[in-house]
Amino acid sequence: MKINCTVRHASHYEDAKHYDTERIRREYLIENVMVPDEINMVYTMYDRMIAGGAVPTEEELVLKAPEILRADYFTQRRELGIINVGGPGVVQVGSEEFHLDYKEALYVGRGRRDVAFSSDDPSHPAHFYFNSAPAQKETGIKHVTKKDAVVMHCGCLEDANERTINRLLVKEVVPCCQLQMGMTELAPGSTWNTMPAHTHDRRMEIYFYFEVPDEAAVCHFMGQPQETRHIWMHNEQAVISPQWSIHSACATHNYTFIWGMGGENDDYNDMDWVETKDLR
């Protein structure tokens, strides 16, 4: 078993205006999320969020606290959200086992130690994507399916943005502290997400794109509304979006993405909208 953790530092929007393509990708793109028999994660100074992935094949993968946490175990001071985007698998938390099928989620509150991942079938392994944020109290644990989610249908095919937003790990569903996670599924023929664009100064966000065909690509847009930048991305890659940045994308094929947010505000609808005509 191998655990990799890298650290990303926060950047000021005035500095980010001068980044070239290589620097933008180095600061915000997370390329290697899902690697067989590894746990890979990024600790970002934006709201102290962690994003990562675990792909257990032949062996169980145990989620240990990386050095930067200075903790006895991963969830000692943190809450954890997990969504399976691969084959069926099991997340074991202490003595409890939770079976996660495709697109099912698990919320693990602060203080629930000994988290481990395994797959039902090594030839079709689970791909566990996770986000984590600091938590102020112990909140328990809950298995969440799409039937439990707060569902919103948005957009239309004429605007190429017909999509279903599944709010999985939000305060209406689980007793989270600051972490929020959900999954947005674009309908066939739709390629735009999160348009009109928005920012939210009270929290940051991380996007994880999947169900992107090998021959397709996603163009993720970020930056200030009047100073936008873009990053070309592929299947099972993630991107960090600072609180001052928009987060939207268009692709060459419809796709699905997981959004995860952390910050001082847990109101999903609290955002600052940007008119499309005002983007630059």
Side-chain angles (χ1 to χ4, degrees):
M1 185 185 81
K2 186 176 181 182
I3 298 178
N4 303 303
C5 180
T6 58
V7 177
R8 304 285 181 93
H9 293 274
S11 53
H12 194 281
Y13 56 81
E14 289 291 345
D15 295 329
K17 291 179 182 180
H18 305 288
Y19 293 172
D20 61 12
T21 298
E22 181 181 356
R23 180 71 184 277
I24 289 172
R25 294 176 68 86
R26 187 168 72 245
E27 296 290 339
Y28 306 115
L29 178 63
I30 307 173
E31 291 188 84
N32 298 314
V33 180
M34 301 295 181
V35 180
D37 287 323
E38 291 187 9
I39 296 177
N40 289 288
M41 67 184 90
V42 167
Y43 179 104
T44 172
M45 295 300 178
Y46 289 110
D47 290 312
R48 306 285 172 172
M49 281 279 284
I50 291 177
V55 184
T57 57
E58 299 294 342
E59 61 178 330
E60 179 183 76
L61 300 180
V62 179
L63 183 61
K64 298 180 180 179
E67 179 64 23
I68 192 169
L69 293 187
R70 301 292 199 274
D72 296 328
Y73 56 97
F74 191 91
T75 52
Q76 186 174 8
R77 298 182 296 270
R78 290 184 155 265
E79 56 187 344
L80 173 67
I82 303 163
I83 300 176
N84 184 13
V85 299
V90 173
V91 180
Q92 183 166 335
V93 184
S95 61
E96 299 181 80
E97 289 189 352
F98 299 89
H99 191 276
L100 269 61
D101 285 325
Y102 189 57
K103 294 184 177 179
E104 292 187 348
L106 181 69
Y107 173 80
V108 182
R110 170 178 169 158
R112 303 300 297 262
R113 60 190 303 164
D114 300 327
V115 178
F117 306 99
S118 60
S119 296
D120 290 2
D121 180 1
S123 66
H124 183 44
H127 284 208
F128 295 108
Y129 175 72
F130 61 86
N131 286 167
S132 175
Q136 297 75 43
K137 61 182 180 180
E138 296 183 3
T139 49
I141 189 166
K142 185 175 182 180
H143 181 194
V144 178
T145 70
K146 288 169 67 175
K147 288 190 274 189
D148 303 311
V150 179
V151 179
M152 300 169 56
H153 300 285
C154 303
C156 61
L157 188 58
E158 289 77 10
D159 292 333
N161 67 356
E162 182 182 353
R163 60 199 189 276
T164 300
I165 302 173
N166 303 280
R167 294 162 60 186
L168 293 164
L169 306 183
V170 295
K171 63 181 180 180
E172 294 88 353
V173 180
V174 298
C176 49
C177 291
Q178 64 163 315
L179 180 66
Q180 298 183 72
M181 291 181 73
M183 180 172 56
T184 299
E185 301 167 300
L186 274 73
S190 289
T191 56
W192 277 103
N193 74 61
T194 323
M195 277 303 230
H198 62 262
T199 60
H200 24 66
D201 286 338
R202 290 152 296 281
R203 58 180 184 262
M204 59 81 69
E205 191 158 9
I206 298 175
Y207 273 21
F208 172 78
Y209 293 97
F210 69 107
E211 294 189 326
V212 181
D214 291 341
E215 68 278 7
V218 176
C219 189
H220 179 87
F221 294 92
M222 61 171 298
Q224 290 179 283
Q226 284 74 49
E227 193 77 30
T228 60
R229 298 291 186 270
H230 69 271
I231 300 176
W232 282 101
M233 300 177 60
H234 299 281
N235 192 45
E236 293 190 337
Q237 294 183 342
V239 61
I240 299 167
S241 178
Q243 75 281 355
W244 44 262
S245 174
I246 66 168
H247 29 272
S248 182
C250 189
T252 59
H253 191 280
N254 67 302
Y255 52 94
T256 301
F257 67 96
I258 293 170
W259 43 266
M261 296 183 281
E264 66 173 352
N265 188 350
D266 62 2
D267 180 2
Y268 173 86
N269 294 309
D270 180 19
M271 57 192 75
D272 300 312
W273 294 100
V274 180
E275 295 287 344
T276 304
K277 62 182 178 61
D278 293 330
L279 293 172
R280 298 288 185 271

